[in-house]
């Protein structure tokens, strides 16, 4: 399976927004008609947002400004699966070679975290535990008939043995730790026999006590829990969507503390919009990327 950087289509732009979750007010932070950038992370101080584009990492002031290249030598291109360590000193990334890497943001030294599991196994990073001891990732296996099987795994940030938490034929993705480390949130199609009906779930970090969280007709991906543990933001695709493709009319939704759901933003996007944790440290703001035309 070959991985490479996505590019903008003719007349398309990348737009990075920050939205106030309570008021709905939005601020355009960065925009490009030449670079398709994706997947914003916040630094723990709330001053910067980190995105990927063209196989590289960039940062931009959260208040708005120009993209600045974060040079990370020794990695064969990065995709939209990257997370910052809780103290902000390290960024963990998924490479185009299907492996996970750790990058010290001060020295820019990098090391491979993942194991060699053969040419048909690919690591896709989504979360780091609050104690910075474990990475949550999706292990993708390319089957003999060309189909994919995806399951939730963890691996120590220092490197070590992989632990498989789900083991089934249902597509699983977007695994992310809760701020207290007591849960792993993810999306899965296990709640339906019809393809293209992913919903949100959570389970204990040992794979037990699986609970379904959403039950609607839309296709829900990438649950992100606010740092205070009170809200969940996620991206909702039109009914029947297979996977998490680009260039669709999608909704960023929020689950409130009382369990109610509401639409936060309607936009043109999908893949790249919020693949990774996008909450600000203050739990009041949320970042996302839209890809409009015209």
């Amino acid at each position: 399976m070959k991985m490479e950087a996505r590019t903008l289509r003719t007349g398309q732009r990348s737009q990075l927004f920050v939205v106030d979750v309570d008021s709905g007010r939005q601020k355009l932070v960065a925009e490009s008609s030449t670079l398709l950038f994706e997947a914003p992370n916040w630094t723990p101080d709330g001053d910067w947002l980190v995105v990927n584009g063209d196989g590289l990492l960039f940062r931009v002031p959260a208040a708005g400004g120009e993209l600045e290249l974060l040079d990370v030598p020794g990695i064969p291109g990065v995709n939209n699966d990257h997370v910052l360590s809780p103290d902000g000193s390290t960024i963990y990334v998924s490479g185009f070679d299907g492996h996970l890497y750790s990058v010290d943001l001060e020295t820019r030294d990098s090391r491979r975290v993942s194991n060699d599991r053969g040419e048909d196994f690919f690591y896709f990073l989504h979360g780091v535990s609050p104690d910075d001891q474990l990475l949550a990732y999706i292990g993708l296996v390319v089957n003999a008939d060309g189909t994919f099987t995806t399951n939730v795994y963890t691996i120590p940030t220092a490197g070590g043995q992989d632990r498989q938490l789900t083991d089934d034929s249902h597509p699983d993705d977007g695994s992310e730790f809760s701020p207290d480390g007591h849960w792993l949130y993810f999306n899965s199609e296990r709640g339906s026999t019809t393809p293209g009906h992913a919903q949100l779930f959570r389970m204990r970090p040992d794979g037990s006590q699986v609970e379904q969280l959403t039950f609607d007709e839309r296709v829900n991906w990438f649950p992100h829990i606010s740092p205070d543990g009170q809200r969940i933001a996620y991206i909702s695709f039109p009914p029947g969507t297979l996977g998490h493709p680009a260039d669709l009319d999608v909704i960023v939704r929020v689950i409130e503390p009382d369990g109610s759901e509401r639409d936060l933003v309607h936009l043109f996007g999908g893949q790249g919009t919020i693949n990774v944790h996008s909450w600000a440290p203050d739990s009041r703001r949320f970042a996302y990327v839209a890809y409009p035309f015209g």
Side-chain angles (χ1 to χ4, degrees):
M1 186 176 74
K2 182 180 180 181
M3 287 187 282
E4 56 188 15
R6 295 171 57 216
T7 58
L8 292 168
R9 294 159 61 185
T10 302
Q12 192 173 29
R13 291 167 290 153
S14 304
Q15 293 183 320
L16 175 60
F17 285 94
V18 169
V19 58
D20 184 287
V21 178
D22 289 320
S23 69
R25 288 192 297 268
Q26 300 186 57
K27 177 180 177 60
L28 179 62
V29 173
E31 182 175 24
S32 177
S33 60
T34 58
L35 177 68
L36 192 155
F37 55 78
E38 308 173 284
N41 301 134
W42 290 77
T43 56
D45 58 14
D47 292 341
W48 297 88
L49 287 158
V50 177
V51 297
N52 66 283
D54 199 24
L56 305 170
L57 287 174
F58 300 85
R59 71 173 188 172
V60 60
E66 298 297 320
L67 294 175
E68 301 177 11
L69 177 65
L70 288 174
D71 188 30
V72 287
I75 299 177
V78 299
N79 62 21
N80 52 30
D81 299 318
H82 43 80
V83 294
L84 286 159
S85 64
D87 65 2
S89 65
T90 303
I91 188 165
Y92 302 104
V93 303
S94 296
F96 285 160
D97 61 353
H99 283 286
L100 305 182
Y101 294 86
S102 169
V103 181
D104 185 305
L105 286 174
E106 180 176 356
T107 66
R108 303 298 167 87
D109 292 333
S110 62
R111 60 178 175 83
R112 200 179 87 177
V113 177
S114 52
N115 299 304
D116 187 357
R117 297 175 62 100
E119 61 181 11
D120 294 328
F121 189 96
F122 295 81
Y123 290 75
F124 292 96
L125 177 64
H126 283 280
V128 59
S129 61
D131 61 4
D132 198 21
Q133 295 299 300
L134 290 174
L135 298 178
Y137 74 91
I138 298 301
L140 183 150
V141 176
V142 182
N143 302 313
D145 61 0
T147 61
F148 302 146
T149 300
T150 55
N151 279 290
V152 179
Y153 295 74
T154 59
I155 188 172
T157 54
Q161 185 175 357
D162 303 281
R163 182 178 186 184
Q164 185 172 350
L165 302 182
T166 64
D167 186 8
D168 53 60
S169 60
H170 305 290
D172 300 325
D173 213 320
S175 50
E176 181 176 302
F177 285 94
S178 60
D180 59 12
H182 294 167
W183 294 95
L184 266 174
Y185 288 73
F186 65 107
N187 57 267
S188 175
E189 294 190 15
R190 67 187 56 223
S192 173
T193 57
T194 304
H197 199 77
Q199 297 294 306
L200 304 186
F201 293 80
R202 70 177 185 175
M203 61 183 170
R204 295 299 184 182
D206 62 1
S208 66
Q209 200 176 329
V210 179
E211 301 176 0
Q212 187 168 344
L213 304 176
T214 59
F215 300 85
D216 59 78
E217 76 284 355
R218 293 182 63 86
V219 177
N220 303 321
W221 278 70
F222 299 138
H224 301 313
I225 303 84
S226 58
D228 63 7
Q230 295 301 299
R231 287 166 161 160
I232 304 171
Y234 64 97
I235 187 168
S236 184
F237 290 84
T241 303
L242 297 176
H244 56 296
D247 299 340
L248 290 176
D249 290 315
V250 297
I251 307 170
V252 174
R253 285 180 161 174
V254 173
I255 302 176
E256 298 288 358
D258 63 2
S260 63
E261 301 177 27
R262 64 183 174 94
D263 296 354
L264 181 61
V265 181
H266 289 247
L267 68 137
F268 190 74
Q271 173 73 291
T273 293
I274 58 164
N275 288 54
V276 289
H277 191 271
S278 305
W279 282 98
D282 60 16
S283 297
R284 293 177 41 249
R285 294 168 294 161
F286 192 82
Y288 69 91
V289 183
Y291 302 97
F293 286 88

